[in-house]
Amino acid sequence: MEQAVRRLEGNRSPDGKPYEVVMHYGTMHVGLYAPRGSDPQKPDVQDEVYFVMRGQGQSFGGDMSKAFVLDDMLFVPVGLEHRFVVFTNDFIV
């Protein structure tokens, strides 16, 4: 996992992706996500589970806003508009 974190942190060019895939199994994939500045996510075609590995902030999903901290788990059902609206510079899920 630490190698993936280093690859992700090294990819900070303006058009660099804030996502690093760690594992695939069937239709499931596990990865690290670390947006910087703003979160450009769009609704997804599958459910998502986020575990906060570093940082803290606030997420928006549907009509709800939720604060999160290290070790929190966030669930986003398929198709729901969501994003991280406020987060620290070290944020990784």
Side-chain angles (χ1 to χ4, degrees):
M1 191 69 78
E2 284 304 313
Q3 289 178 344
V5 169
R6 283 194 294 279
R7 285 192 307 269
L8 182 64
E9 290 174 341
N11 190 15
R12 292 293 175 226
S13 64
D15 35 343
K17 295 178 182 176
Y19 186 73
E20 179 72 31
V21 174
V22 177
M23 182 187 94
H24 282 278
Y25 184 83
T27 60
M28 180 197 74
H29 63 269
V30 176
L32 299 176
Y33 184 61
R36 295 297 182 255
S38 64
D39 180 8
Q41 291 191 79
K42 305 276 190 239
D44 295 293
V45 297
Q46 63 187 40
D47 294 332
E48 293 182 309
V49 175
Y50 295 96
F51 292 97
V52 181
M53 294 179 58
R54 292 187 186 166
Q56 60 186 349
Q58 189 167 347
S59 65
F60 163 81
D63 60 356
M64 287 183 43
S65 181
K66 177 177 176 34
F68 60 83
V69 296
L70 180 67
D71 294 334
D72 278 355
M73 183 188 85
L74 308 167
F75 173 75
V76 179
V78 66
L80 183 70
E81 180 182 348
H82 67 284
R83 70 181 88 42
F84 299 101
V85 292
V86 177
F87 44 86
T88 56
N89 288 335
D90 62 342
F91 176 57
I92 297 178
V93 287

